Structure formats: structure tokens, C-alpha cells
Amino acid sequence: KSTSAPTAWPIRRAIRRRYQEALAGRAGVAFGPDGPEDNAWLTCLTVVPATTGVDREAVRRHLEGQDIESRPLWKPMHLQPVFRECPARVDGTSEALFVDGLCLPSGSGMTDDEQTRVLAALDEVLLPAP
């Protein structure tokens, strides 16, 4: 069942909040900033390998191995072949987000049990909070 916006926004915000609270204090794991107009359509985090001991792709593969879909953040447009020759203003931010960023499952139809399953899988692959 699909829930349409803006009805889905509070549900998606709650899912993101649950992930944020569960992963709070994990070194090398961060969520993007929330704003008052943020609809939480996606829940994305960054995984810094030097701190977590694993890179984003290892986390993604671990989730995939448990039949949990996640995906990297979008490839920056200036790195896509069709836009290679186009002018771009870059400072390394989009590249870093692409390398370290991961979109977690956060659909408004997710059950509490499904969210718990995602968090348990993340617990298995990420270092615990100090």
C-alpha cells in the first residue's frame, strides 16, 4: 500500500528519527540535517571508513546479504558520462557524499519489525557506540 505525501511525511520523519536515535553516538555515522520543511522522503547517512572500520559499500552489501535493500547516494551529475563536458562548480562535497553516503529503507509502509530488522543488521556491521 502506498501512502502519498503529505500524509506519508510524518511517518517517514518518525522512521528517520528512530534510525537517528538508534545510531546516535556511533563514531563515523552521521545523518544529513533535518529542516522544518523536510519531508524525510529519503533517510540517508554517511559512513566514514576511517572511523567505522567499514565503508559504505560493505554496509550496503551486509544489508543486501540479509535481503535489506539500500543504495548509494546519487552519483554526482558532473561524474556522469552524459554531463562530463558540461561546466560544473565542485568542491568535493558531492563526491564525498557519493563515496560515503547510503540511503536506508524508509518507506512509509515499513513496519516496526522491519525497522528493527534494519537496525539489527546495522548493529552487526557498524562499531558500537563508545
Side-chain angles (χ1 to χ4, degrees), residues 52-126:
T52 61
V54 293
D55 63 10
R56 177 262 302 153
E57 186 59 13
V59 175
R60 189 194 67 73
R61 283 192 317 266
H62 181 77
L63 294 172
E64 182 179 58
Q66 298 198 28
D67 202 26
I68 297 171
E69 184 178 1
S70 63
R71 63 172 191 74
L73 294 183
W74 292 276
K75 187 173 190 175
M77 295 196 50
H78 68 282
L79 297 179
Q80 297 179 27
V82 70
F83 298 111
R84 187 173 290 131
E85 301 302 319
C86 296
R89 291 183 178 213
V90 297
D91 65 2
T93 301
S94 61
E95 294 92 336
L97 287 170
F98 180 60
V99 169
D100 295 335
L102 184 69
C103 294
L104 296 176
S106 59
S108 52
M110 284 186 79
T111 66
D112 285 344
D113 288 344
E114 290 168 332
Q115 295 165 44
T116 298
R117 196 166 146 266
V118 171
L119 288 168
L122 290 169
D123 277 342
E124 293 171 0
V125 70
L126 296 172

Side-chain angles (χ1 to χ4, degrees), residues 1-60:
K1 175 183 170 185
S2 176
T3 306
S4 62
T7 308
W9 296 358
I11 297 166
R12 288 175 181 262
R13 283 188 196 112
I15 293 168
R16 180 188 291 166
R17 205 169 25 256
R18 183 173 180 197
Y19 287 155
Q20 288 171 324
E21 290 170 2
L23 297 172
R26 301 279 177 119
V29 177
F31 289 83
D34 296 333
E37 300 299 320
D38 184 9
N39 62 22
W41 196 249
L42 294 175
T43 294
C44 303
L45 55 77
T46 54
V47 178
V48 180
T51 309
T52 61
V54 293
D55 63 10
R56 177 262 302 153
E57 186 59 13
V59 175
R60 189 194 67 73

